[in-house]
Amino acid sequence: MTVSPTAERPSLRSQRLNQITNEPHTQLDALVKAHAPFETQANFARFVVAQYLFQSELVTLYNDPELIKIIPDLAERCRAQAAKLDLGDLDTDIPAPVAGALKHPSTAEALGWLFVSEGSKLGAAFLIKRAVGLGLSETFGARHLGEPVGGRAEGWKRFTRTLDGLAFSAEEEAAVEKGAIDAFVRFTVLLEQAYASAPELA
Ligand code: HEM
């Protein structure tokens, strides 16, 4: 994901989204690591709180009939339940919702958010390996980072192929990009909130 800011605008929508989110992704990656999520289970649990909050804000999108017409397996892709079970495994309370969740996005904007949520499953392949060091796995504590049914790479390819095949107006193009950027901003807010509300971190 090293893209020069002066690079040409790629022809594929998914690649354009990759390009415009490269910087926020790098920043978020650094922020995640700054909280040392793999140092202790307690630190990791705060990361799961952020993941749960983010995923639970997207449940409506993952179950939206209009979006499911575009991405038929969308509902199965949702990880809110997995993150909730992880919180239980980690003896962590379900957090209260945080003000400012996404509301009634347009289809294109929603797809920008889903791009980020689905894309984060790629990074999860690296994260779960580290979680194993804490005694966690895709069946305990780190379920939401697990390999999706049908495979990580395959699931991502199917998602981006569909996204790239949609005919968008200029407004919709702007909306999908706004959605992707906003999703990174939101995850950052939720991550900070999750660590700020940690009950007893060393
Ligand atoms: C909420 C959104 C996201 C979060 C919290 C997130 C988090 C992370 C973190 C922490 C890593 C580093 C893993 C490691 O080095 O051990 C990573 C890597 C990665 N992420 Fe994300 N990510 C998000 C969204 C995305 C999106 C939208 C994409 C693709 C479009 C993506 C693709 C990748 C890839 C391919 C890697 C592997 C290393 C790299 O190329 O940088 N992620 N992610």
Side-chain angles (χ1 to χ4, degrees):
M1 306 251 297
T2 43
V3 181
S4 141
T6 53
E8 271 179 39
R9 234 172 119 68
S11 58
L12 284 180
R13 179 174 297 126
S14 60
Q15 287 178 2
R16 289 199 295 276
L17 292 172
N18 254 328
Q19 191 182 58
I20 63 158
T21 58
N22 183 51
E23 200 186 321
H25 183 271
T26 304
Q27 284 169 2
L28 185 55
D29 179 358
L31 190 66
V32 168
K33 287 175 180 158
H35 286 293
F38 302 107
E39 217 158 87
T40 61
Q41 273 201 12
N43 279 11
F44 182 72
R46 304 326 294 173
F47 175 69
V48 181
V49 165
Q51 291 273 38
Y52 170 78
L53 287 167
F54 187 71
Q55 289 299 316
S56 57
E57 289 180 1
L58 300 184
V59 165
T60 320
L61 299 194
Y62 275 100
N63 291 286
D64 182 285
E66 289 307 311
L67 290 165
I68 290 172
K69 277 187 202 156
I70 300 171
I71 302 155
D73 67 348
L74 193 58
E76 294 100 84
R77 289 172 176 265
C78 184
R79 286 173 294 157
Q81 185 58 21
K84 191 175 189 176
L85 292 172
D86 288 336
L87 289 175
D89 296 338
L90 296 163
D91 285 329
T92 300
D93 291 341
I94 305 296
V98 176
L102 174 70
K103 280 201 185 80
H104 311 301
S106 65
T107 298
E109 194 178 354
L111 287 165
W113 281 77
L114 291 170
F115 171 86
V116 174
S117 177
E118 288 301 300
S120 74
K121 291 177 179 173
L122 299 177
F126 296 81
L127 301 178
I128 195 156
K129 290 195 184 126
R130 308 280 314 274
V132 168
L134 292 171
L136 308 175
S137 69
E138 59 180 43
T139 55
F140 185 84
R143 302 164 199 258
H144 77 282
L145 301 175
E147 174 96 20
V149 180
R152 245 179 246 285
E154 259 320 300
W156 178 240
K157 273 187 216 146
R158 272 186 288 113
F159 179 83
T160 51
R161 212 181 295 134
T162 303
L163 183 63
D164 289 338
L166 300 172
F168 276 177
S169 66
E171 283 86 336
E172 287 168 325
E173 215 62 76
V176 73
E177 294 192 0
K178 178 184 186 298
I181 295 287
D182 286 352
F184 273 100
V185 171
R186 184 63 181 163
F187 194 94
T188 305
V189 168
L190 297 175
L191 191 70
E192 295 293 35
Q193 169 79 26
Y195 282 93
S197 62
E200 57 208 29
L201 275 188

